[in-house]
Amino acid sequence: MAGYIEDRWIKKKKDPVTGKREKTARYGKGKRYKVAGMPGVRDRSFDVLEDAKAWLRRASTDEERGEFVDPRDGSITLADYIAMHWAPGRGGVPKTQDNQERIARLHIIPHLGQLPLKNITATDLRAYIAKLASTVSSVDYQRGILSELSSILEAAVDDKRLTGNPMHAKSVRWPKASQERREAWLLATALRVRDVINPRNRITVVLGLGCGLRQGEVFGLSPEDIDYARGVIHVRRQVQAIKGRLYFTLPKGAKTRVVDMPSSVVEELEHHVEAFPPVEVELPWGKPEGQGRKFSLLLTTRFGNAVAVNTWNTYTWKPALAKAGIILPRATGAKRWQWAAAPKDGFHVLRHTYASLMLEAGESVVTLARWLGHSSPAITLGYYAHFMPEAGSKGRTAIDGLLGELGELHASRNSPDSPQGR
């Protein structure tokens, strides 16, 4: 790597008359020695010549290894780096970007945002993780926050602002991944909710329980997605919301799929369509600012609009849970929207219940993974293996049968009446 040291106090050329190097106009002002001529690296000044030489040697070595980082580039605060360099180039679908923005705004910047990147140490991160443990109840959410922070710091490494990611320090220990099992309702509980929810929304419970659809997928379902002849549903879109603005987008993971449709679901769909005819709704596609697209929706509000998830959860789902005796009624004097939190009894529990019913009935994990839209059967097993009551029993039966046969054979061979026993 090119580079040289310039003495800013003494001129390079000697005076032709005296033969001596004269003082410059900067003599005695500021740092004397400047390291310059390094492509892509800002000049740096030092008071002592040996310091300048040492820095030039280290910088040259680091540059050859591809490890050179100018410490001044790490002086930017974490908050400024996020705003100026991380957020503008952040990828992912709009919902993911919105979640990342919220995590940074609520959980990262208030605690670490004023620190310069280069000053974020393992000590700071250990204290930060301890604080998260006391303020954020969900271990999975804690890990999500730390994952976002680590991604930001990794980008700073790529941008040559840090030599390494402090989140990778051995002493920085993340909370262990939650081993909490997905819990399902009893079938009787799910059916009770189906029967007490208002008639327009009964179909939501049917589709969640009978086909394992996610909430947004139910809200985005169109009559055109239902193949009555083949007995399947094509899951092609969902309704999402960012800051209250609804839009259509692909299902989770940007993957469409085909789901089996039992005859009981077919009957419910036919009744629903007859009682509540589908309505054509236009929403942006892909993001709240996207181009508008129209779809005929099976489920809309009584005003013919697409269903907003948060509003539906507050004014439709939780009242049904209270009627079914699953959660407590609203407190006396509470407003219509003031319900107690019920994270384990959200709409997604119907999907867990669907998975439990399928596995308990002996359905293939591979098939169930395809219906649920999981990228791998291993994910399905990780979530729902505890719903397989016969897990292990077939193996035990096979071993018992085999050992039983061998035991009988051994006994017969050692019998006094057998040729071997004589």
Side-chain angles (χ1 to χ4, degrees):
M1 178 177 67
Y4 59 87
I5 298 175
E6 176 186 342
D7 187 338
R8 306 169 73 186
W9 290 3
I10 303 294
K11 294 180 179 180
K12 292 181 181 179
K13 295 183 179 181
K14 296 180 181 180
D15 183 272
V17 177
T18 64
K20 297 181 180 180
R21 296 172 61 189
E22 296 182 347
K23 298 177 181 179
T24 67
R26 296 178 58 94
Y27 185 84
K29 300 175 183 178
K31 296 182 178 181
R32 179 171 180 174
Y33 300 100
K34 179 175 73 172
V35 180
M38 300 165 65
V41 179
R42 289 175 293 169
D43 298 346
R44 182 160 181 173
S45 299
F46 297 86
D47 291 318
V48 181
L49 179 59
E50 288 305 316
D51 291 344
K53 290 180 178 179
W55 187 84
L56 178 58
R57 287 194 299 270
R58 289 195 301 271
S60 299
T61 301
D62 289 344
E63 178 66 18
E64 291 176 2
R65 296 173 178 170
E67 299 173 354
F68 177 77
V69 173
D70 192 327
R72 288 169 297 183
D73 290 331
S75 297
I76 186 173
T77 65
L78 177 61
D80 286 343
Y81 179 75
I82 291 173
M84 299 166 59
H85 302 284
W86 172 251
R90 187 162 44 203
V93 299
K95 191 68 174 178
T96 299
Q97 292 183 17
D98 184 61
N99 289 337
Q100 291 172 330
E101 184 276 330
R102 187 185 308 109
I103 284 174
R105 174 168 47 84
L106 298 179
H107 300 289
I108 296 177
I109 293 174
H111 303 289
L112 301 172
Q114 299 311 307
L115 290 176
L117 288 176
K118 65 180 182 180
N119 291 354
I120 298 176
T121 65
T123 301
D124 298 318
L125 295 176
R126 291 195 298 270
Y128 175 60
I129 291 172
K131 191 165 189 176
L132 278 183
S134 65
T135 57
V136 178
S137 59
S138 168
V139 172
D140 288 340
Y141 194 46
Q142 291 175 34
R143 289 178 61 84
I145 294 169
L146 296 175
S147 178
E148 180 67 9
L149 175 59
S150 184
S151 295
I152 293 168
L153 296 176
E154 198 65 41
V157 174
D158 292 341
D159 291 346
K160 300 295 184 181
R161 292 179 179 274
L162 290 175
T163 57
N165 184 348
M167 287 293 290
H168 294 167
K170 290 183 179 179
S171 63
V172 178
R173 297 186 176 90
W174 294 31
K176 292 184 178 180
S178 172
Q179 300 298 318
E180 184 178 355
R181 303 189 307 179
R182 268 57 178 179
E183 297 296 337
W185 279 345
L186 294 174
L187 178 58
T189 302
L191 295 179
R192 195 161 67 247
V193 173
R194 179 200 64 181
D195 293 339
V196 300
I197 202 167
N198 64 59
R200 177 184 291 276
N201 289 279
R202 175 186 172 96
I203 195 65
T204 63
V205 182
V206 171
L207 290 169
L209 178 63
C211 299
L213 268 59
R214 299 181 178 93
Q215 189 175 27
E217 294 168 351
V218 173
F219 296 163
L221 192 64
S222 169
E224 299 172 357
D225 303 325
I226 302 170
D227 188 336
Y228 290 101
R230 293 177 54 203
V232 298
I233 292 176
H234 297 269
V235 183
R236 293 168 171 151
R237 76 195 66 79
Q238 62 175 323
V239 173
Q240 286 277 18
I242 294 180
K243 296 179 175 63
R245 300 173 64 186
L246 302 183
Y247 63 100
F248 291 124
T249 188
L250 290 170
K252 186 176 181 179
K255 296 183 298 184
T256 61
R257 67 185 190 277
V258 178
V259 179
D260 184 63
M261 181 173 58
S263 59
S264 57
V265 174
V266 172
E267 293 177 9
E268 292 273 2
L269 282 169
E270 291 173 343
H271 291 319
H272 176 81
V273 169
E274 183 178 352
F276 306 98
V279 177
E280 187 175 68
V281 174
E282 181 175 6
L283 290 176
W285 177 265
K287 55 185 178 180
E289 305 81 17
Q291 185 72 29
R293 293 183 63 178
K294 295 180 179 180
F295 293 99
S296 178
L297 299 183
L298 278 169
L299 184 72
T300 61
T301 68
R302 57 194 178 93
F303 302 108
N305 301 317
V307 178
V309 172
N310 290 339
T311 302
W312 190 88
N313 287 340
T314 300
Y315 296 104
T316 300
W317 181 250
K318 285 196 173 180
L321 295 183
K323 285 183 181 179
I326 296 171
I327 64 173
L328 295 174
R330 283 194 306 269
T332 303
K335 306 295 184 182
R336 287 186 60 212
W337 61 86
Q338 292 177 323
W339 295 93
K344 293 186 178 180
D345 294 309
F347 185 88
H348 212 70
V349 73
L350 295 175
R351 184 171 161 90
H352 300 332
T353 306
Y354 166 78
S356 73
L357 294 172
M358 292 296 101
L359 291 174
E360 288 171 0
E363 186 56 74
S364 160
V365 174
V366 174
T367 300
L368 179 59
R370 186 172 69 250
W371 289 345
L372 290 172
H374 290 163
S375 59
S376 166
I379 294 176
T380 309
L381 274 176
Y383 287 163
Y384 302 121
H386 59 290
F387 290 138
M388 302 171 69
E390 294 186 2
S393 63
K394 292 181 179 179
R396 287 195 300 270
T397 301
I399 292 297
D400 287 343
L402 178 61
L403 293 179
E405 292 175 3
L406 291 176
E408 292 174 3
L409 177 61
H410 179 74
S412 64
R413 285 180 176 176
N414 288 291
S415 170
D417 297 328
S418 68
Q420 293 89 342
R422 289 177 184 169

